[in-house]
Amino acid sequence: MSANSFGSALHVTTFGESHGVALGVVVDGLEPGIPIDVQELRRMMERRRPGANALGTARKEQDEVSILSGMFQGLTTGAPLAMEIRNGDQKSSDYDEIAGLYRPGHADWTWQQKFGIRDWRGGGRSSGRETSSRVAAGAIAMQILKLKGIGIVAGTVRIGDVAASRRDWDVAPSNPLNCPDEQAAIGMQERIEAARKAQDSVGGIIECIATGLPPGLGEPVFDKLDAKIAQAMLSIGAVKGIEFGDGFSCALSSGSRFNDEMALDGNGKPMFLTNHAGGVLGGMSSGAPLVFRIAVKPTPSISLPQRTMDLDGRERIVEVHGRHDPCVCPRAVVVVEAMAAITILDAWYTAFGRVPRPSDIR
Ligand SMILES: Cc1cc2nc3c(=O)[nH]c(=O)nc-3n(C[C@H](O)[C@H](O)[C@H](O)COP(=O)(O)O)c2cc1C
C-alpha cells in the first residue's frame, strides 16, 4: 500500500487507523514564515468531529491536534509540519460481531481480497476517521490561501429528495449541514433523523465554491485543476461522483447557451458573463469562481439486516450495530473544504512556486 500521499509541490501524507493509537498527517513543502492560527485549526477540526452535532454518530472524539514539528513562534518554518490526533473513544468491541463478515457497501471485501489482512476495528484506514488528518492539513492550507485572497466554502445542497433552492452562504454556518438554504436545511435534518429511526442511511450532495483564484492554476494535460480536484474529492470515502459548473446538464445544452461569453467589467478588466464551466477552462482556473458538487452515497453501515458473506465463504445475514453516521454529509462538508484547499495550494505552488510574498510575512 503506497498511496497515502497527495500533491505534487505540496506533499500531504496521512497515517493511522480508526482504532489505532493515533492518526496524523505530515505536510511537506509549505512556504516558510506564514502565521498559523491554532484556534482556527481547532475550529475546523471541531466541524468534522464525531459527536459535535446531533445529526451524526454518538461516538465522542475530542480530535485534539498536536503540532509536532514545522512551526516556530507561531510561524511555519518550511520544514515538514507534522500533526497528531490521538484516538480516544474507541469501542472496538462494537466490531466483534462483524470481524468475520463483510459489510455490504464498505471496503471490507476489497481490502481483504487485496491485502489478505484488515483492521476490522472501525474500518481501519477506510474509516471516515482517516479524514481527520485531511482536515488538519486542509486547515493549514486554507489559512495560507486566505493570505493569497482565496476563500473556500462548502455546504450540503441535497439530502435524499430534499434540495436547497437558495445559495445564501451567510446563513449556512447556522445549521449542522452548512446548508445555504435555511428552510431546506430543516427538511434535510428531518430526512436524516428519519433514516436514523428506520435504522437506515441516506445520501446527499455537497457543493463547494472557491473564489479569488487567479487565472492559470492547473497543469495541462494530466494535472488539470479539475482532474486534481476530482481525484481529491473521489479519494474521500463515500464520494461517488463530481460535476463542475453546470455539470452533467451540459449534455443537454448547446454551445450558444453553455459557452461563457466575455466582456470588460466597469474597470476595463476582462470578465465572464456567466459561469457554466465552473471556473475551469482547459484544466486551468479561469479567474471565475471554481464551482463543483460531489455526490455522497448513503452510509454503508446500517443496522437493517442485509445479505453478505463471511471470511469462510458462507452466506450470512449482517446487521451493523455500533455508532455510525446515518448520513456522511454533515461531517464531510469540512473534509471537502480541506481537500479543495490542499489541491488549490498545491496547484498554486506548482504554478508560482512557494516563495512567500513579502506582504505574507509578519
Ligand atoms: C466524514 C465521514 C464519515 C463517515 N462515517 C461512516 C460511518 O459512520 N459508517 C460507515 O459505514 N461509513 C462511514 N463513512 C464512509 C466510509 O468511509 C466509506 O463508505 C468506505 O470507506 C467505503 O469507501 P467508498 O464508499 O468510497 O467505496 C464515512 C465517510 C466520511 C468521509
Side-chain angles (χ1 to χ4, degrees):
M1 186 172 39
S2 59
N4 295 291
S5 300
F6 180 79
S8 308
L10 177 71
H11 300 272
V12 173
T13 303
T14 72
F15 63 88
E17 291 84 22
S18 169
H19 286 222
V21 176
L23 299 110
V25 61
V26 178
V27 188
D28 195 10
L30 289 170
E31 58 201 284
I34 302 291
I36 296 299
D37 180 345
V38 177
Q39 289 311 321
E40 182 52 34
L41 162 67
R42 295 210 169 108
R43 272 195 290 277
M44 210 154 146
M45 293 297 292
E46 177 67 17
R47 289 174 58 203
R48 198 217 64 93
R49 187 173 68 79
N53 69 65
L55 289 179
T57 166
R59 218 167 49 240
K60 293 222 178 337
E61 288 282 358
Q62 290 314 312
D63 278 2
E64 193 66 52
V65 188
S66 308
I67 299 180
L68 308 179
S69 66
M71 266 182 68
F72 182 61
Q73 296 181 333
L75 304 176
T76 57
T77 60
L81 187 94
M83 290 177 280
E84 181 194 62
I85 303 136
R86 289 252 150 187
N87 283 322
D89 185 23
Q90 305 118 308
K91 259 174 80 184
S92 302
S93 57
D94 276 354
Y95 291 86
D96 286 351
E97 261 178 70
I98 55 158
L101 298 175
Y102 301 117
R103 282 172 297 172
H106 218 291
D108 304 343
W109 165 260
T110 41
W111 201 282
Q112 189 73 34
Q113 298 309 300
K114 186 174 174 70
F115 299 107
I117 178 169
R118 76 195 155 92
D119 183 346
W120 43 261
R121 304 163 309 162
R125 280 294 280 164
S126 56
S127 163
R129 185 142 179 74
E130 183 270 333
T131 59
S132 61
S133 315
R134 301 173 185 230
V135 173
I140 304 290
M142 194 89 108
Q143 292 187 30
I144 297 177
L145 287 174
K146 203 169 166 191
L147 294 170
K148 301 180 188 307
I150 294 175
I152 298 171
V153 66
T156 308
V157 294
R158 175 180 282 278
I159 293 293
D161 52 6
V162 186
S165 48
R166 300 180 58 221
R167 296 290 187 273
D168 181 354
W169 291 104
D170 289 338
V171 306
S174 63
N175 66 76
L177 290 150
N178 219 43
C179 173
D181 179 338
E182 252 177 328
Q183 209 45 45
I186 297 167
M188 289 180 191
Q189 290 173 76
E190 287 168 0
R191 186 68 192 77
I192 294 174
E193 267 320 306
R196 187 204 299 278
K197 284 202 183 103
Q199 299 185 314
D200 211 339
S201 59
V202 62
I205 294 179
I206 294 172
E207 183 168 291
C208 182
I209 301 174
T211 52
L213 276 66
L217 297 186
E219 305 301 316
V221 289
F222 292 116
D223 288 348
K224 291 177 173 178
L225 184 62
D226 39 359
K228 297 304 281 186
I229 289 278
Q231 185 194 353
M233 295 304 144
L234 291 170
S235 75
I236 302 170
V239 175
K240 296 302 281 182
I242 183 163
E243 59 177 17
F244 291 84
D246 288 4
F248 271 43
S249 72
C250 70
L252 310 173
S253 195
S254 58
S256 57
R257 269 187 292 146
F258 191 78
N259 291 343
D260 297 312
E261 294 184 53
M262 296 191 76
L264 292 176
D265 70 10
N267 300 317
K269 281 179 61 185
M271 62 171 279
F272 293 95
L273 297 174
T274 50
N275 191 18
H276 300 298
V280 203
L281 289 167
M284 293 161 281
S285 53
S286 66
L290 176 71
V291 183
F292 64 88
R293 281 171 298 283
I294 59 159
V296 181
K297 77 182 192 184
T299 315
S301 300
I302 54 171
S303 10
L304 288 177
Q306 294 201 290
R307 291 179 61 178
T308 189
M309 305 283 294
D310 66 17
L311 257 64
D312 299 320
R314 286 178 303 221
E315 289 189 359
R316 298 277 297 272
I317 299 293
V318 62
E319 293 170 14
V320 186
H321 298 290
R323 301 167 293 171
H324 294 280
D325 297 292
C327 180
V328 167
C329 288
R331 295 179 54 222
V333 163
V334 68
V335 183
V336 169
E337 289 178 5
M339 287 308 292
I342 292 167
T343 312
I344 294 169
L345 187 59
D346 183 39
W348 180 289
Y349 287 161
T350 305
F352 306 129
R354 66 170 186 146
V355 181
R357 298 175 306 186
S359 59
D360 291 344
I361 303 182
R362 246 206 301 208

